[in-house]
Amino acid sequence: MPNSLWASIKEQGNIPDKVYICSTKKNMKSATKNKDRVSILLQGYGRKATVTMVEIPENDFVVIGEKIADILKKEKKAGNEVALDITSARKAIASPALIVADKFKADHIFYLYLEDVANANRPYMMIPLKIQHSNDFLSGGKA
């Protein structure tokens, strides 16, 4: 997640004030590490963002959609711009998230495509930029 966030900052100019990390119980330990990484990354861009962990079920598409919908509705009601990043999401999570993003009018849907995943575990700036493609599916924005 930090790499796709970093790419959306560098390539799309999107620096969030709030981040929700949705993770299954099984993956919560590694997701919590990403919470710290996200906070540090955003501090480097002058933001003291709120990072919230949200546990979602492994394969209950309805509940996954409901939890993500609750977040989108809450943030849209508060007048906030909402971006969804589906880069690290499994299909079982990304699919309901995309449906909800459309229904509740998310402002951005980010996806970082890597032509070669051999270096995917390296920090964003240590992966050749020519093989990284940051996309905002809603704006058609490509880097």
Side-chain angles (χ1 to χ4, degrees), residues 81-141:
E81 187 173 292
V82 176
L84 191 69
D85 186 327
I86 61 167
T87 303
S88 61
R90 297 179 61 196
K91 289 178 188 142
I93 296 168
S95 297
L98 289 169
I99 292 167
V100 167
D102 179 56
K103 183 175 182 179
F104 295 103
K105 305 299 180 215
D107 299 287
H108 307 278
I109 298 175
F110 293 121
Y111 180 74
L112 178 61
Y113 170 69
L114 298 179
E115 291 177 18
D116 179 1
V117 295
N119 297 312
N121 290 332
R122 299 175 80 185
Y124 171 71
M125 296 303 288
M126 294 182 71
I127 301 170
L129 293 176
K130 71 179 190 173
I131 68 164
Q132 298 188 64
H133 306 279
S134 180
N135 298 279
D136 179 352
F137 292 149
L138 294 183
S139 74

Side-chain angles (χ1 to χ4, degrees), residues 23-40:
S23 178
T24 61
K25 186 174 186 172
K26 180 172 67 175
N27 293 322
M28 194 57 77
K29 186 175 180 179
S30 67
T32 301
K33 289 180 187 176
N34 281 334
K35 177 182 179 181
D36 296 335
R37 293 175 182 138
V38 164
S39 294
I40 291 167

Side-chain angles (χ1 to χ4, degrees), residues 52-68:
T52 303
M53 302 300 297
V54 177
E55 187 175 316
I56 56 175
E58 184 73 30
N59 60 1
D60 187 333
F61 309 121
V62 173
V63 173
I64 292 168
E66 288 171 348
K67 285 192 174 216
I68 295 171

